Amino acid sequence: SSSANASSAPMDAPLLRTVLAGFTKPYLQKNKTAVAAMKLIQERDGGGPLALDHFAFRTFGTDGCGISSIAQFFLDMGYEVRDELRFPTKKLRALWFSPPSHQPINDFMQQDKFLQGPLPRIFISELLVNELSSSAQAVISKYTRGASQLSKYASVASALGTLTWPLPSANDYKILARESEYAAWTLVNGYALNHLTISVHQLRSSINKISELNAFLQDSGIKLNSEGGILKVSLDGGLLQSSTVADSILFKFADGDTMPVPASYIEFAERLVLEKFLHLPSSEVQEWHRRDGFEVGNADKIFESTSSSQTGVH
Ligand code: OOG
Ligand code: NI
C-alpha cells in the first residue's frame, strides 16, 4: 500500500539511528562518570560494542511540554506506546515505548562503533504540574508557556543540547528544588537525555550478571545509587537494575549566579529469560524472550540518582 504508516517505518531508518546517536552527544560531553563507566565496562568485557536497553527523558506535564512532546519523534519513527507507570508521592507519571523491531542495528553509532545492538526502549516521565503548590506552578509556567509552541522541537533541542525555554534564574531553581528535585532537574536540563541504560545480559564476560557488574564498578571507584539498596529487583524477579549517582555540573544561571546542579547518570539493566523460554539453548535466546518493560518499585528508587540525598550536593 502507498499510504503512510508510521509503525511500518523502515528498520534501517537512518534518521532514527542518527538522532538516537545525537541524543547521546551532549550526554557524553557532560557526564564524566557515565563515560568512565562505559569505558570500564567495554574494556573489561573485551572491547565489543555495548547494547542499549533504554533511553530516558523527563518533562513538565503542562503547556504541551509533557511526555507527548518528546514522544512524538519516537512514534513517528515506529515506536509503540506500552505501559503507564505512576509515582503518586513524586507526582510523576511515565510511559514507555517499544522499538519498531527487535532486530539488531549493527551500525548504530557507527562513527565510533561504541554502541550497537537492538534499538533501545524509550522511557519518558512527566511531572504532574497541577498537583504542585501554586508558587511552584507559577515558576514552571513562566518557562513552559513560552515553550509551548516549540514542543514539537523537543527532540531537536535534546540532540543539540539546548533548552526550549530561556535560561532559568537561580532563584526559580531554588524554589522548585525545595518542592520537587525532579522539577528543578528538568528546569535546568530540559529534554536532555536523563540516562541511557546498558543491557547487562548482552555483555559477553562475567559482568553480564548485574551483581558482578556492580561489584566491578564499585571496585573501580564508580559511585552507585544506594537508594533502597544498590540492586533494584522487580517483584517477579526478572528485571534487575542499578545506576550511578548523577554528576554535578556548574550551571550558569540567567542572573550570572553559578551553582552546581545534577546532570545525568547511567543505568544498568539485566533482563532474565522468561520461564516459558527457559528451555531454549542460550544461543537462541532473543531479547523478546526476556522480561520486558519496567517496574514502578525499581523506577521509584532509580529516580533518586539525581537527588541531593545521593549526590550530596544541597
Ligand atoms: C527515570 C527513573 C526510572 C527506570 O529504568 O525504571 C528509570 C528518571 O530518573 O527519570 O529509569
Ligand atoms: Ni531507566
Side-chain angles (χ1 to χ4, degrees), residues 54 58 123 125 194-195 241 265 267 294 299 302-303:
H54 64 272
R58 295 180 176 181
F123 180 100
S125 56
N194 174 267
H195 61 275
Q241 293 167 281
Y265 60 93
E267 189 195 305
F294 292 84
I302 294 169
F303 275 116

Side-chain angles (χ1 to χ4, degrees), residues 27-147:
Y27 171 89
L28 295 171
Q29 261 162 29
K30 261 190 206 161
N31 296 286
K32 306 272 164 287
T33 299
V35 173
M38 288 166 86
K39 286 201 169 125
L40 282 165
I41 292 170
Q42 205 178 26
E43 276 165 27
R44 171 70 177 71
D45 201 51
L50 300 176
L52 298 175
D53 184 272
H54 64 272
F55 281 12
F57 302 90
R58 295 180 176 181
T59 68
F60 288 126
T62 188
D63 291 328
C65 297
I67 294 172
S68 60
S69 60
I70 186 114
Q72 195 56 55
F73 170 75
F74 297 102
L75 294 170
D76 290 345
M77 289 295 118
Y79 273 78
E80 282 174 23
V81 65
R82 300 290 295 271
D83 308 308
E84 180 188 67
L85 295 88
R86 288 202 163 255
F87 307 89
T89 318
K90 291 187 166 71
K91 297 173 176 153
L92 297 174
R93 70 185 278 259
L95 293 176
W96 77 272
F97 301 81
S98 53
S101 103
H102 290 289
Q103 270 179 348
I105 291 198
N106 291 316
D107 57 354
F108 175 48
M109 278 193 83
Q110 57 203 3
Q111 298 106 316
D112 53 9
K113 289 274 173 204
F114 200 46
L115 299 164
Q116 295 182 26
L119 286 168
R121 297 165 187 79
I122 303 296
F123 180 100
I124 311 173
S125 56
E126 68 185 11
L127 185 64
L128 303 172
V129 175
N130 62 9
E131 294 182 11
L132 300 184
S133 72
S134 53
S135 56
Q137 288 193 50
V139 168
I140 292 167
S141 74
K142 254 168 57 179
Y143 296 88
T144 54
R145 246 184 292 122

